């Protein structure tokens, strides 16, 4: 019996090696598949983070547009009120001067005193320290000299600067997220239809455009599709952050302007 078992074991030895090889192949295949899935998952996570940052930038830009419109309305209202106050004060001054030019015949009050007239003075506009801090932070970027352009970068509330592009209703936006885990970015934006037309114009030479832009840039359709971002954590100071904004803004303008002048 023992001899038979030994003979059976010897007969099965070749098959044991085959099973070992099959097991190794299955293990290697599973490892390759798991690696591919991990890479795909990591890429999807990066895409989601990038999309989130772009949505945040678009929300900031939309908010700044609304804020700019509100600021204009407030300024118009303030100017109208000031004009009414000035007109009222001028009218009262004219009335007082006329009254002083003729004899005053007025009956005293019951207590023997005469009535007095007081003129209300317009109050000074409230200070806006937050906006002043905002302006001072962005001033070096706004002061950037743009070659061949007589339109300087324009500051918008809140936290973005725009430079008009030579394509109707589009501009280059430079923005920053104030949060520590936020990003700074430079990207093409504008009205949706105009951005779509710009993309159709640039799409045939998209690869060439990408090669002309700073490393890490993207060239694709939609608002903020042509742009680049950099995490705040990679900057050592605000000066370094602003310097990156200026250099990147100029690089994008140098690459885009010749391609958009038609």
């Amino acid at each position: 019996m023992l001899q038979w078992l030994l003979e059976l074991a010897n007969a099965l030895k070749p098959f044991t090696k085959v099973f070992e090889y099959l097991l190794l192949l299955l293990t290697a295949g599973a490892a390759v598949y798991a690696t591919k899935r991990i890479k795909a998952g990591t890429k999807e996570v990066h895409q989601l983070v990038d999309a989130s940052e772009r949505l945040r930038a678009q929300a900031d830009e939309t908010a700044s547009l609304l804020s700019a419109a509100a600021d204009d309305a407030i300024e118009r209202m303030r100017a109208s009120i000031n004009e009414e106050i000035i007109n009222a004060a001028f009218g009262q001054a004219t009335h007082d001067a006329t009254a002083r030019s003729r004899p005053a015949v007025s009956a005293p009050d019951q207590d023997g005193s005469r009535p007095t007239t007081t003129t209300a003075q317009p109050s000074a506009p409230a200070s806006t320290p937050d906006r002043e801090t905002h302006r001072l932070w962005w001033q070096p970027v706004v002061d950037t000299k743009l070659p061949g352009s007589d339109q300087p970068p324009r500051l918008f509330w809140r936290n973005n600067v725009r430079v008009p592009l030579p394509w109707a209703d589009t501009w280059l936006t430079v923005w920053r997220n104030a949060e520590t885990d936020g990003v700074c970015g430079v990207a093409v934006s504008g009205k949706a239809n105009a951005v779509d037309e710009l993309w159709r114009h640039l799409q045939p030479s998209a690869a060439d455009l990408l090669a002309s832009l700073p490393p890490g840039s993207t060239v694709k359709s939609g608002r903020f599709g042509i742009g680049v971002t950099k995490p705040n954590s990679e900057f050592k100071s605000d000066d370094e952050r602003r310097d990156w904004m200026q250099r990147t803004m100029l690089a994008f303008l140098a690459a885009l302007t010749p391609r958009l002048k038609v």
Side-chain angles (χ1 to χ4, degrees):
M1 184 66 178
L2 180 59
Q3 182 64 29
W4 181 79
L5 290 175
L6 290 174
E7 291 176 357
L8 180 61
N10 290 330
L12 291 176
K13 277 184 179 180
F15 296 100
T16 302
K17 291 293 183 182
V18 171
F19 288 138
E20 288 179 357
Y21 292 145
L22 286 175
L23 183 60
L24 287 173
L25 287 173
L26 288 173
T27 303
V32 171
Y33 177 77
T35 302
K36 288 183 177 179
R37 293 301 301 168
I38 290 172
K39 288 182 178 179
T42 303
K43 184 178 179 180
E44 290 174 358
V45 169
H46 285 309
Q47 290 175 343
L48 287 173
V49 171
D50 185 59
S52 174
E53 294 297 347
R54 293 181 185 277
L55 285 173
R56 184 190 296 184
Q58 291 183 22
D60 287 345
E61 185 179 34
T62 301
S64 69
L65 284 172
L66 293 174
S67 177
D71 287 345
D72 290 341
I74 290 172
E75 288 301 326
R76 287 195 297 270
M77 185 181 298
R78 181 182 296 169
S80 177
I81 292 173
N82 287 341
E83 184 177 1
E84 290 180 6
I85 291 173
I86 292 170
N87 288 339
F90 179 77
Q92 181 64 41
T94 303
H95 173 75
D96 291 345
T98 303
R100 285 195 299 270
S101 66
R102 60 174 181 264
V105 180
S106 58
D109 291 340
Q110 292 180 358
D111 60 358
S113 63
R114 293 187 180 277
T116 57
T117 302
T118 57
T119 302
Q121 298 295 327
S123 59
S127 61
T128 54
D130 287 343
R131 286 181 181 267
E132 181 64 13
T133 301
H134 170 258
R135 184 189 66 78
L136 290 173
W137 195 97
W138 281 99
Q139 197 61 51
V141 181
V142 174
D143 291 340
T144 304
K145 301 298 181 183
L146 304 181
S149 175
D150 57 355
Q151 298 188 55
R154 184 181 175 189
L155 176 62
F156 282 80
W157 179 271
R158 179 175 194 106
N159 277 336
N160 67 91
V161 163
R162 294 178 207 151
V163 180
L165 292 173
W167 193 275
D169 297 323
T170 64
W171 50 81
L172 189 67
T173 297
V174 182
W175 80 91
R176 69 170 178 136
N177 301 133
E179 297 83 358
T180 305
D181 60 346
V183 301
C184 291
V186 176
V188 173
S189 187
K191 295 182 179 179
N193 291 339
V195 172
D196 290 341
E197 292 175 1
L198 179 147
W199 170 246
R200 285 192 289 270
H201 173 73
L202 292 176
Q203 188 175 11
S205 59
D208 180 62
L209 173 60
L210 181 61
S212 302
L213 294 175
S217 299
T218 59
V219 175
K220 54 187 179 182
S221 62
R223 294 173 61 197
F224 294 87
I226 301 174
V228 64
T229 60
K230 188 172 183 177
N232 287 336
S233 58
E234 294 186 13
F235 297 104
K236 296 178 181 178
S237 66
D238 283 342
D239 287 339
E240 186 177 317
R241 194 189 325 270
R242 285 185 287 257
D243 179 68
W244 178 84
M245 289 177 172
Q246 291 174 296
R247 288 185 291 102
T248 306
M249 175 175 62
L250 291 172
F252 267 76
L253 290 174
L256 288 167
T257 301
R259 292 174 169 83
L260 296 179
K261 285 185 175 180
V262 294

